[in-house]
Amino acid sequence: MNSSSSRSGGANLPALRHHNASLVLDLLRVAGEQGISRLELAERTGLTPQAVSKITARLRAEGLAAEAGRRVSTGGKPRTVLRLVPDAGYAVGLHLDRDELTAVLVDLAGTPVATRTAPLDLGAPAPEVLTTAARAVQTVRADVPRTADRPVLGVGAALPGPLDHRSGVLHRVTGFPGWNGYPLRDALAERTGMPVVVDKDTNAAALGIALRERTGADFAYLHLGTGLGAGLVLGGSLHRGARTGAGEFGHQTLQLDGPPCGCGGRGCVEALCLAAAARGDIAEAARVLGAGVANLVGLLDIDRVVLGGRTFAADEDAYVSGVRAVIEERARREGAAVPVPVTVAGGGDRPVAEGAAQLVLAPLFGRAGEGGGQEERGRVGRGRGGEEYPGGERDGAGAG
């Protein structure tokens, strides 16, 4: 997971030390309860049937896969269908917002099995914030007694940026410059005794949506809560940028001489939007947000915009219609036949916490480049077999 994994007592699933096993397990996860046959696994991964049989035998031995019945074959004996065993392992996701903490425990399928919220002052001294976060991890684990004998693979922590997801070190978090340079990943790993991955809240939510939907489409997730930011999925991958600073959507300037923003600038879309929302002018807040979104759509030519977050959820219809109106007006001016659709993530702030848990799970399912503590490689789209996984042998040759 990260450099602190070995010393923080993190749990591991032995079968997943092989890359091809991760690819097979990912297909089992996608197939859901209806399962998938070994022949289909071989066809979709490019592995030989013999390699797939070896992998699935090991996954079953480790308790990660089980039979899901038999499927009528077009010729020969019925095929045995395999499925993922979701409760073979878990991950914790934390959303550390400016005033509230959300903790969620998810199983290997990404399904939430326990959720807790608690007040949080992100401006409090770091030890107090860490104590609250560690207590939340313990609480959601205690809510599911079977985690006592099932591995909890780690903690994903998502919070406002900017930050360096590779090192888990925070930068000047907007409104909370005291966090600048703080090694949150290692400090939280020390407190929880588990591997920890850290990323921006918007990146975590975007990752969770991309892995759940698996469409490969480019989209922007816009989170409007106590702040405003974006998570970008471009070319099938979560886009963090060369310096991990992509997605600071809320700090684009809309008014050169506008009101001051917590980032130190003036006239930022975040400051304008939140100020309008605070005075109850939701139509104006939606119009400002729509202007920023239209700029983003024009710049990146994305397929879809997804809105989420607490402030948005409180007036969902007004924000959707307001943002959509601005985008449609711009599309008419540019002669676009179909404006970019605006959809809803739902669940308030929960997509951030659930996506934070996916930061832990993604590498285990062959999404090595998507976890917050991993080197930038891999894609949300389906991979193929044949690569060597560091520290393990090949499970079988890939098919070109």
Side-chain angles (χ1 to χ4, degrees), residues 348-364:
D349 285 349
R350 277 189 56 178
V352 174
E354 292 173 16
Q358 291 292 352
L359 292 169
V360 175
L361 295 180
L364 303 178

Side-chain angles (χ1 to χ4, degrees), residues 270-338:
E270 176 178 297
L272 295 169
C273 184
L274 291 179
R279 63 177 183 265
D281 191 349
I282 305 304
E284 174 64 8
R287 189 177 73 88
V288 170
L289 178 59
V293 171
N295 289 341
L296 186 64
V297 169
L299 180 66
L300 299 178
D301 194 23
I302 52 179
D303 299 309
R304 182 168 57 117
V305 172
V306 183
L307 301 180
R310 264 187 288 160
T311 300
F312 159 75
D315 293 281
E316 183 177 300
D317 292 341
Y319 278 107
V320 170
S321 61
V323 171
R324 187 175 287 152
V326 178
I327 292 178
E328 289 176 350
E329 171 59 26
R330 179 163 181 159
R332 283 193 294 270
R333 292 201 312 265
E334 296 175 350
V338 180

Side-chain angles (χ1 to χ4, degrees), residues 13-16 25 28 55-67 83-89 108 150-151:
L13 296 178
L16 295 183
L25 197 69
L28 292 173
I55 293 169
T56 54
R58 188 166 67 249
L59 293 175
R60 292 183 64 183
E62 296 290 346
L64 297 170
E67 285 194 10
R83 63 171 178 85
L84 174 72
V85 178
D87 64 358
L108 292 184
R150 305 286 174 88

Side-chain angles (χ1 to χ4, degrees), residues 2-382:
N2 56 50
S3 59
S4 64
S5 300
S6 60
R7 71 172 186 274
S8 60
N12 292 306
L13 296 178
L16 295 183
R17 64 180 179 270
H18 302 290
H19 177 66
N20 290 333
S22 296
L23 298 180
V24 169
L25 197 69
D26 187 46
L27 290 172
L28 292 173
R29 178 171 67 161
V30 174
E33 294 183 358
Q34 67 181 11
I36 186 172
S37 70
R38 292 180 181 84
L39 179 59
E40 290 171 307
L41 289 170
E43 291 173 345
R44 296 186 187 184
T45 60
L47 298 170
T48 65
Q50 294 83 357
V52 169
S53 293
K54 176 183 175 183
I55 293 169
T56 54
R58 188 166 67 249
L59 293 175
R60 292 183 64 183
E62 296 290 346
L64 297 170
E67 285 194 10
R70 294 180 180 273
R71 186 176 300 164
V72 176
S73 174
T74 55
K77 62 181 182 180
R79 298 175 184 170
T80 300
V81 177
L82 301 173
R83 63 171 178 85
L84 174 72
V85 178
D87 64 358
Y90 298 89
V92 176
L94 295 178
H95 179 194
L96 299 158
D97 206 350
R98 293 170 175 85
D99 61 353
E100 184 177 85
L101 181 147
T102 302
V104 60
L105 182 75
V106 306
D107 61 21
L108 292 184
T111 302
V113 294
T115 303
R116 290 291 185 114
T117 60
L120 179 71
D121 178 6
L122 196 59
E128 293 182 20
V129 176
L130 289 175
T131 296
T132 302
R135 185 182 300 120
V137 172
Q138 295 170 351
T139 300
V140 290
R141 290 190 65 176
D143 285 344
V144 183
R146 60 180 176 273
T147 62
D149 58 2
R150 305 286 174 88
V152 178
L153 303 174
V155 178
L159 68 162
L163 54 83
D164 184 345
H165 80 281
R166 298 187 188 95
S167 64
V169 174
L170 306 186
H171 295 324
R172 293 180 63 86
V173 176
T174 303
F176 301 92
W179 284 103
N180 189 32
Y182 190 81
L184 180 64
R185 183 192 70 188
D186 291 349
L188 190 55
E190 187 72 24
R191 288 292 190 102
T192 61
M194 290 189 288
V196 173
V197 182
V198 173
D199 209 338
K200 290 199 299 187
D201 45 12
T202 50
N203 286 343
L207 171 64
I209 293 169
L211 291 176
R212 182 175 69 246
E213 298 183 352
R214 304 175 67 92
T215 64
D218 291 351
F219 70 88
Y221 169 78
L222 279 301
H223 187 87
L224 181 59
T226 58
L228 174 61
L232 305 173
V233 173
L234 306 176
S237 295
L238 183 61
H239 179 74
R240 296 186 177 92
R243 289 163 295 280
T244 76
E248 290 298 316
F249 171 86
H251 302 295
Q252 58 177 302
T253 301
L254 290 188
Q255 289 183 10
L256 291 177
D257 298 316
C261 178
C263 71
R266 301 185 70 89
C268 293
V269 62
E270 176 178 297
L272 295 169
C273 184
L274 291 179
R279 63 177 183 265
D281 191 349
I282 305 304
E284 174 64 8
R287 189 177 73 88
V288 170
L289 178 59
V293 171
N295 289 341
L296 186 64
V297 169
L299 180 66
L300 299 178
D301 194 23
I302 52 179
D303 299 309
R304 182 168 57 117
V305 172
V306 183
L307 301 180
R310 264 187 288 160
T311 300
F312 159 75
D315 293 281
E316 183 177 300
D317 292 341
Y319 278 107
V320 170
S321 61
V323 171
R324 187 175 287 152
V326 178
I327 292 178
E328 289 176 350
E329 171 59 26
R330 179 163 181 159
R332 283 193 294 270
R333 292 201 312 265
E334 296 175 350
V338 180
V340 172
V342 179
T343 61
V344 177
D349 285 349
R350 277 189 56 178
V352 174
E354 292 173 16
Q358 291 292 352
L359 292 169
V360 175
L361 295 180
L364 303 178
F365 291 91
R367 314 295 179 191
E370 302 306 324
Q374 301 291 326
E375 178 187 353
E376 289 299 307
R377 65 187 189 277
R379 297 167 62 82
V380 173
R382 180 169 295 130

